[in-house]
């Protein structure tokens, strides 16, 4: 179990930083393409009616990235924004985390996820997971397409 008192979060905005007083759910992420191990912590933000997934370096307990989700518990549609600090980009972390986050979101009967990528790298990560562009700035993945992608992945691994 992760010791919440050791977590260091210097990411902006300040109001979305890890709250050491709130409950959280901890995930052990699959290894990245460079065989690095990270933790993912999911925390409900009641003030902003959102959910945050914090990517934590398992060796330094530092928050190295965050995925912010509009509260999917009240809607069938949710939005995702994400950022990983520069030092940890281009390591496969974003793709690994986005896969876990999307799987978690769809397990809560969400029908549609939207991502508004801020740059080409973010758009590329979304496309690798199965999101399709609906406009220059909006990428979407619906639950039926996601189920089909998962089914095809299982068939290909057999």
């Amino acid at each position: 179990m992760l010791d919440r008192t050791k977590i260091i979060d210097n990411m902006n905005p300040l109001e979305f930083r890890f709250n050491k007083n709130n409950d959280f759910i901890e995930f052990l992420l699959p290894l990245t393409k460079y065989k690095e191990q990270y933790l993912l912590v999911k925390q409900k933000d009641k003030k902003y009616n959102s959910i945050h997934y914090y990517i934590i370096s398992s060796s330094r307990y530092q928050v190295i990235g965050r995925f912010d989700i509009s509260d999917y518990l009240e809607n069938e549609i949710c939005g995702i924004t994400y950022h990983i600090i520069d030092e940890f980009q281009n390591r496969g972390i974003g793709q690994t985390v986005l896969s876990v986050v999307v799987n978690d979101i769809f397990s809560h009967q969400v029908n549609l996820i939207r991502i508004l990528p801020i740059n080409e790298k973010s758009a590329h990560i979304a496309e690798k997971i199965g999101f399709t562009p609906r406009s220059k700035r909006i990428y979407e993945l619906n639950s039926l397409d996601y189920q089909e992608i998962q089914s095809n992945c299982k068939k290909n691994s057999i």
Side-chain angles (χ1 to χ4, degrees), residues 144-158:
L144 292 176
D145 290 341
Y146 177 73
Q147 290 170 10
E148 185 176 326
I149 291 167
Q150 294 302 305
S151 177
N152 289 338
C153 288
K154 289 178 184 174
K155 287 177 188 175
N156 291 335
S157 65
I158 294 177

Side-chain angles (χ1 to χ4, degrees), residues 20 35 42 55 64 72 78-79 86-87 97 113 129 146:
K20 294 182 181 185
K35 308 294 186 233
K42 176 182 176 182
I55 308 162
I64 57 127
Y72 54 74
C78 75
D86 291 344
E87 177 186 346
V97 173
I113 301 173
I129 303 303
Y146 177 73

